[in-house]
Amino acid sequence: MLRTVVFEASPLPVDLEALPPAARQVIADLQTRAAVLEQTLHAQFAKTVQAQEARIAQLTELAAAQEAQVAQLAKFAAAQEVVIAELKHLTDRQEHLIAELRHARFGKKSEKLSEDERQLAFEDLEVAVAETQEAIDQQPTPEGKPRRKAARRNRGHLPASLPRIEQVIEPENKVCTCGCTTLVAIGEDRSERLDVIPAQFRVLVTVRPRYACTRCDAGILQAPAPPHLIEGGLPTEALMAHVAVAKYADHLPLYRQSQIYARAGIDLDRSTLASWCGVTAFNIKPVVDRMLIHTKTAQHLFMDETRAPVLDPGAGKTKTGYLWALARDGRGWNSTDPPMVVFTYGNSRAGAHAMAILHGFDGILQVDGYTGYDALTRQGRTGGKPVQLAYCWAHARRKLHEVYQRDGSPIAAEGIRRIAQLYKIEADIRGKAPDERLAVRQTQTAPLVAEFRQWLTQHRERVSPKSRLGEKLGYIHRHWDGLVLFLTDGRIEMDTNPVENRIRPLVLTRKNALFAGHDEGGRTWARIASVIETCKLNSVDPYAYLRDTLTAIANGHPMSRIDELMPWAYPKKSS
């Protein structure tokens, strides 16, 4: 508030009238100057007070703004604490899922899971990790802006054979900031995403016009009907190939395929689809038989067998048949021969089936420790000379691992460690020529094998042969000659994994289908699985191969050129 200050003059001690005129003039001038000074000081004081009042008002307003800002920051901090807590929860969950994924892949339990069970575990865990990462990406940044997602680019590239549908996105306004409209394209950014059109069914209508002469009765002219595998039937060869690949490669039972077709309004009974698979198997039989002949020309093969439950109509339950797999795979020693596998159905696990399948083969056969193969090594065996059996170190390791998992045996752990040393050397020479592999094995692997032999002998003397560990050590001892055979030939592998890897897809088909309907169903399974798995070994699309092969057979492909229909002879599409 402005205050008025009044200056009052003190009474003079003398009479002004008694003073000389000059003195009176000086006093008058002083009084005038005092009055002017009083007015000046009064104005300056009023101005200073106004400035101070304005400053106080400004400071009051600034303090209020700061208080509001502090309240806003406190609210933002509280919100950020919620975001940070959520991010921490999501990060902890992601780390837990990643740990579970690593454990499922590398942990001790991974040895107990089958390949299919591991893959299913990986799928579920990877889906959960991706979901958690997406939740983290959706959280805003501390500034409240949307979080920039990490680029998730394709691993590899999309095949060049896929059709491209280009979508060109132009700017809404092609006017430059300077006002001109003569913009020139100087480049472009391109990105590709994989799209899918769900399976579409179509009907191929074959029309054959009939012609007749209007001047005579020479007869009717008409083009002959194109050949089909099922004359007058519903499916094309492409559809038959699709059904077979879906069942035997993608493990989709026929009754489920029937349900899928029904959703598209197509009524195809399971028995109808089954009959198509039977026709497919019958027509590719010459191809599979020729594949078996090619397979047995090799000097080193793999063999294994797996259960194939088959319905026994008379007994009203299933019986156990077997799919016998015979594989040729020389990729480990850089062979130029195409890899292949042929499955043969047998109604039992009797060694006679192996004897019949291997008729004419007298090379080296790599197998597990099943005694059904022992008859192949005997003099005078049916169908050829005695076969040399190379045994599987993976099975030996598995025996020790079973003991270690149950009992934590340090002896079993030591055996596993020693076998791992052998596999480390094998990993370094995979894909090398046989002579180079043999040289490395003789200089590096053979001493380790000799030490393993001493270790095995030492512990067999100390461990009861009737104990679990003693039984496993005895297994390795009994198969020792076949286990060390790989030290004498660079073409021999340490294990039967090449053929076991081909059997695993059949196991998944078996789980989904439960059983084959008949022994003939087992044979159908074996033939179609043979071409599908051989296609996969040679990087050939099984569907395209079966479609074109069935079409060629329907068109009368000559048996003298059957080798042209081998899966490895099918042209591979460039990617």
Side-chain angles (χ1 to χ4, degrees):
M1 180 180 294
L2 181 64
R3 294 181 299 172
T4 303
V5 181
V6 179
F7 292 91
E8 296 181 355
S10 301
L12 296 176
V14 295
D15 186 6
L16 294 179
E17 296 295 334
L19 295 175
R24 290 197 302 270
Q25 184 62 41
V26 171
I27 291 173
D29 291 341
L30 289 174
Q31 289 176 339
T32 302
R33 291 174 64 183
V36 172
L37 180 60
E38 179 183 358
Q39 292 177 356
T40 301
L41 291 175
H42 179 75
Q44 290 179 348
F45 181 77
K47 187 176 181 180
T48 300
V49 171
Q50 289 178 352
Q52 288 178 346
E53 289 179 347
R55 178 61 175 166
I56 291 172
Q58 183 180 6
L59 290 175
T60 301
E61 183 179 353
L62 180 61
Q66 288 179 341
E67 289 178 358
Q69 186 176 9
V70 169
Q72 184 178 3
L73 288 174
K75 183 178 180 180
F76 180 74
Q80 285 301 107
E81 289 180 359
V82 174
V83 172
I84 291 172
E86 180 65 19
L87 284 174
K88 185 177 183 304
H89 170 72
L90 292 172
T91 302
D92 291 343
R93 172 172 167 77
Q94 188 179 46
E95 291 177 352
H96 171 73
L97 290 171
I98 292 173
E100 287 289 324
L101 182 61
R102 289 174 178 168
H103 182 71
R105 186 174 183 181
F106 304 111
K108 294 180 179 179
K109 289 185 178 179
S110 65
E111 189 71 14
K112 296 182 179 179
L113 299 176
S114 68
E115 178 65 19
D116 299 325
E117 291 170 333
R118 284 198 296 272
Q119 292 300 329
L120 289 173
F122 294 160
E123 287 179 10
D124 291 340
L125 287 170
E126 287 167 351
V127 167
V129 170
E131 180 183 355
T132 304
Q133 183 61 52
E134 183 65 20
I136 292 175
D137 291 341
Q138 292 293 336
Q139 295 295 324
T141 63
E143 293 78 16
K145 299 179 180 179
R147 188 178 300 273
R148 183 176 180 180
K149 298 181 181 180
R152 298 172 186 173
R153 297 179 176 86
N154 293 331
R155 294 180 180 178
H157 61 280
L158 297 176
S161 59
L162 294 179
R164 260 66 175 175
I165 300 175
E166 292 193 358
Q167 178 187 20
V168 180
I169 303 176
E170 296 282 1
E172 294 182 1
N173 190 349
K174 289 188 178 180
V175 178
C176 181
T177 54
C178 70
C180 70
T181 58
T182 57
L183 296 180
V184 179
I186 59 173
E188 62 184 14
D189 292 331
R190 301 178 71 92
S191 61
E192 293 188 344
R193 297 189 303 158
L194 186 62
D195 191 24
V196 62
I197 300 176
Q200 295 180 344
F201 298 97
R202 60 182 184 177
V203 178
L204 299 184
V205 181
T206 301
V207 180
R208 297 187 296 128
R210 295 192 301 272
Y211 296 93
C213 180
T214 60
R215 300 175 58 183
C216 68
D217 56 355
I220 298 175
L221 179 65
Q222 186 179 36
H228 304 308
L229 283 186
I230 302 179
E231 294 294 344
L234 185 67
T236 63
E237 287 69 32
L239 181 56
M240 295 172 66
H242 177 79
V243 172
V245 170
K247 176 175 173 61
Y248 297 104
D250 300 329
H251 324 294
L252 194 61
L254 296 180
Y255 77 90
R256 293 183 187 172
Q257 294 189 53
S258 178
Q259 294 170 351
I260 293 173
Y261 296 141
R263 291 202 299 266
I266 301 173
D267 184 15
L268 289 175
D269 189 77
R270 179 196 52 76
S271 61
T272 300
L273 301 179
S275 68
W276 295 353
C277 288
V279 173
T280 297
F282 173 80
N283 282 277
I284 64 172
K285 182 180 183 301
V287 174
V288 177
D289 291 344
R290 183 61 177 169
M291 286 171 55
L292 182 59
I293 293 174
H294 277 290
T295 303
K296 291 190 289 187
T297 59
Q299 291 300 307
H300 171 249
L301 297 176
F302 302 89
M303 197 168 196
D304 201 359
E305 73 289 332
T306 186
R307 291 183 300 104
V310 175
L311 185 64
D312 186 356
K317 58 182 181 181
T318 60
K319 62 181 180 180
T320 302
Y322 282 85
L323 290 172
W324 296 76
L326 185 66
R328 182 180 82 180
D329 191 348
R331 292 175 296 177
W333 49 274
N334 201 25
S335 172
T336 57
D337 294 330
M340 64 189 73
V341 60
V342 177
F343 294 95
T344 304
Y345 173 77
N347 58 11
S348 72
R349 202 186 181 197
H353 293 291
M355 187 79 73
I357 294 169
L358 290 168
H359 189 280
F361 174 77
D362 53 12
I364 299 172
L365 185 67
Q366 193 138 18
V367 296
D368 55 20
Y370 174 48
T371 57
Y373 298 109
D374 292 348
L376 297 169
T377 65
R378 296 168 187 162
Q379 292 290 339
R381 80 167 180 97
T382 303
K385 301 176 183 178
V387 170
Q388 278 188 293
L389 295 183
Y391 289 121
C392 175
W393 278 93
H395 280 75
R397 179 190 180 278
R398 202 168 297 158
K399 299 292 184 181
L400 295 175
H401 192 275
E402 291 172 0
V403 177
Y404 178 73
Q405 284 291 93
R406 177 173 176 176
D407 305 329
S409 167
I411 298 176
E414 175 64 16
I416 294 172
R417 184 191 67 80
R418 290 176 179 271
I419 295 175
Q421 291 178 328
L422 307 182
Y423 271 101
K424 186 177 184 303
I425 298 174
E426 286 299 303
D428 294 335
I429 61 176
R430 178 166 179 77
K432 302 293 181 64
D435 292 343
E436 186 175 354
R437 283 158 58 97
L438 182 59
V440 172
R441 286 172 175 175
Q442 290 177 344
T443 57
Q444 299 183 29
T445 307
L448 296 178
V449 172
E451 293 177 3
F452 188 96
R453 176 66 172 178
Q454 295 177 355
W455 172 86
L456 178 66
T457 302
Q458 176 185 358
H459 287 290
R460 286 192 68 238
E461 294 174 350
R462 298 179 179 178
V463 176
S464 169
K466 295 183 179 180
S467 66
R468 285 176 51 84
L469 178 59
E471 291 177 356
K472 307 307 181 184
L473 295 178
Y475 170 90
I476 299 175
H477 171 73
R478 290 193 304 274
H479 295 88
W480 185 256
D481 290 342
L483 286 172
V484 299
L485 196 60
F486 80 106
L487 297 176
T488 65
D489 191 331
R491 298 170 300 174
I492 303 176
E493 298 292 346
M494 273 189 65
D495 51 43
T496 59
N497 286 350
V499 68
E500 287 191 13
N501 291 338
R502 304 276 64 82
I503 284 180
R504 287 193 179 106
L506 275 67
V507 175
L508 187 54
T509 298
R510 181 180 70 206
K511 288 181 179 179
N512 288 344
L514 299 181
F515 53 82
H518 190 271
D519 284 336
E520 287 301 321
R523 295 184 182 92
T524 296
W525 187 359
R527 289 173 192 153
I528 298 179
S530 296
V531 296
I532 287 176
E533 293 304 316
T534 300
C535 280
K536 290 158 65 174
L537 279 171
N538 290 273
S539 301
V540 170
D541 177 14
Y543 164 73
Y545 166 78
L546 261 181
R547 177 198 62 202
D548 294 347
T549 300
L550 292 177
T551 301
I553 293 173
N555 289 327
H557 188 90
M559 284 294 297
S560 60
R561 292 163 45 199
I562 190 69
D563 283 350
E564 297 176 6
L565 300 183
M566 296 297 105
W568 54 87
Y570 187 80
K572 302 179 179 64
K573 292 184 178 181
S574 58
S575 58

